[in-house]
Amino acid sequence: MKIFFILRIFVFSVFSFLVLTALVGCRTTRSSTESLRKEISGIIENKEAIVGIAIVGDDGRDTLFWNGHRHCPLQSVFKYHIALTVLSEIDKGRLTLDEVVEVKKGDLLPEEFWSPLRDENPEGGNFTIRKLIQYSVCQSDNVACDVLIRLVGTPKTIEEFFKSNGIQDIAINVNEKDMQAEWDNMFTNWTTPMASTETLRMFYLNQGHILSQASHEFFWQTMKETTTGKGRLRGLLPQETIVAHKTGSSGTSDDGLTPATNDVGIVFLPGGDYFIISVFVTDSKEDDETNEEIIARIARAAYDYFSGNKFAGR
């Protein structure tokens, strides 16, 4: 009986220690995250904009959400969704990365649409799916974007792919041509900051499951080669920092309202850690430089937090 009693005390003591450790850990994480939240609050206070933010550490525990459930216009952010959908079709054997697609002159959008592909190939041409994805994601090319959508079906095909994989807070109803045809059309393609970050996290962690290993590696390498938005997530990070990301931008209305200045992606830290971040600056009365600076400062605050260099170099 005495031994049994001693064992009960031992087990209870161990259990109590583990529970206490977990609770202290939770309080510490929450307190630390609150310090990051306070810093971000200082970044966006007095700004005439609504900012949606979702940040998650690589362990999935250090999280920060700000207007996390708000419906934010995707704009060109949806080009990475399109790329993932195309890659899933490749993994099913319906397409191949090296398959050649003819882009006719009639497929080229007018000059007001951003398209390095059109500018470099004014008569059209033949392009591999690999090249079309790189144009669409890395350079945010609108012609390549709409060609890729046609390869898999319609904009709703993209939406359905993500909903079938558990991402419900997303709507994709129009391609780039139709999105830019009418001002209000941009609002029919939307996601939430939380859904955006969860999408990135899900596809990054599930390598070899949702997508094949080859498609996974190609996609993330392509995201790392993004050339747009140098003043956003990358803007204030150390020059050598690797960022796999996708930007999105709207125009500005006659009364000075900018509905979307976006950047979402994964920031890789020294030593192999990373954090996933989505920032959507919406309904902004600020100028383009300020909108981008908001994103850059939030990304830098998160970088300092996750790398342990809080407030370094400020």
Side-chain angles (χ1 to χ4, degrees):
M1 291 291 294
K2 186 175 181 181
I3 295 175
F4 178 74
F5 179 73
I6 293 172
L7 284 172
R8 284 185 61 187
I9 293 175
F10 174 77
V11 171
F12 180 78
S13 298
V14 172
F15 176 78
S16 299
F17 173 79
L18 291 174
V19 170
L20 180 60
T21 302
L23 290 173
V24 171
C26 288
R27 285 199 295 271
T28 302
T29 298
R30 188 177 301 116
S31 175
S32 299
T33 306
E34 283 303 315
S35 69
L36 176 59
R37 177 178 291 273
K38 183 177 180 181
E39 187 173 2
I40 290 174
S41 178
I43 293 170
I44 63 179
E45 67 179 354
N46 301 322
K47 296 294 190 300
E48 290 189 83
I50 297 173
V51 184
I53 307 166
I55 304 172
V56 177
D58 56 8
D59 61 2
R61 290 182 296 178
D62 282 344
T63 61
L64 185 148
F65 307 120
W66 195 293
N67 292 317
H69 292 291
R70 183 179 177 84
H71 290 195
C72 301
L74 278 161
Q75 283 292 337
S76 288
V77 168
F78 86 140
K79 289 168 181 169
Y80 94 74
H81 296 84
I82 295 164
L84 287 170
T85 307
V86 172
L87 289 169
S88 75
E89 292 296 291
I90 288 172
D91 288 343
K92 294 170 187 172
R94 296 171 183 167
L95 300 168
T96 68
L97 269 182
D98 294 320
E99 182 174 334
V100 175
V101 178
E102 182 183 8
V103 179
K104 299 178 181 179
K105 188 172 182 177
D107 296 324
L108 304 178
L109 298 173
E111 289 187 2
E112 59 265 29
F113 290 82
W114 172 255
S115 178
L117 181 153
R118 179 203 58 233
D119 295 344
E120 296 166 9
N121 305 274
E123 299 300 316
N126 296 316
F127 305 88
T128 63
I129 292 176
R130 181 192 308 273
K131 189 62 177 177
L132 291 172
I133 291 175
Q134 290 169 334
Y135 265 122
S136 181
V137 174
C138 299
Q139 300 185 59
S140 207
D141 191 286
N142 290 319
V143 171
C145 167
D146 285 1
V147 171
L148 290 170
I149 292 175
R150 290 197 296 271
L151 285 178
V152 296
T154 69
K156 294 302 286 186
T157 306
I158 315 298
E159 176 186 320
E160 290 162 3
F161 172 68
F162 286 91
K163 288 189 171 179
S164 71
N165 280 288
I167 303 297
Q168 300 303 317
D169 285 336
I170 187 169
I172 300 177
N173 291 289
V174 292
N175 62 11
E176 278 288 355
K177 182 179 180 181
D178 292 337
M179 190 188 335
Q180 298 189 40
E182 296 288 342
W183 179 262
D184 289 342
N185 285 354
M186 79 173 82
F187 302 103
T188 67
N189 286 357
W190 60 265
T191 193
T192 67
M194 289 178 68
S196 172
T197 291
E198 176 56 26
T199 301
L200 292 165
R201 184 169 187 268
M202 179 176 69
F203 277 89
Y204 187 71
L205 291 178
N206 287 284
Q207 58 185 42
H209 297 285
I210 301 177
L211 294 181
S212 68
Q213 187 66 29
S215 290
H216 178 275
E217 292 175 0
F218 170 73
F219 174 76
W220 289 105
Q221 183 58 41
T222 302
M223 289 278 278
K224 290 174 183 177
E225 294 170 359
T226 291
T227 59
T228 58
K230 293 180 180 178
R232 300 185 190 181
L233 289 181
R234 291 180 176 274
L236 295 175
L237 300 181
Q239 188 173 0
E240 69 277 7
T241 305
I242 297 173
V243 183
H245 67 121
K246 184 70 197 81
T247 59
S249 308
S250 69
T252 301
S253 67
D254 292 338
D255 60 355
L257 186 72
T258 303
T261 305
N262 310 329
D263 205 355
V264 308
I266 301 180
V267 177
F268 295 90
L269 303 168
D273 293 340
Y274 63 86
F275 64 91
I276 304 170
I277 179 170
S278 298
V279 185
F280 295 83
V281 181
T282 69
D283 293 345
S284 178
K285 286 281 190 176
E286 307 290 345
D287 59 25
D288 291 342
E289 183 179 356
T290 301
N291 291 332
E292 292 201 331
E293 183 185 17
I294 290 170
I295 297 174
R297 292 182 65 193
I298 291 169
R300 180 60 199 236
Y303 179 93
D304 289 344
Y305 169 75
F306 285 103
S307 65
N309 298 322
K310 300 178 182 62
F311 312 114
R314 303 259 175 135

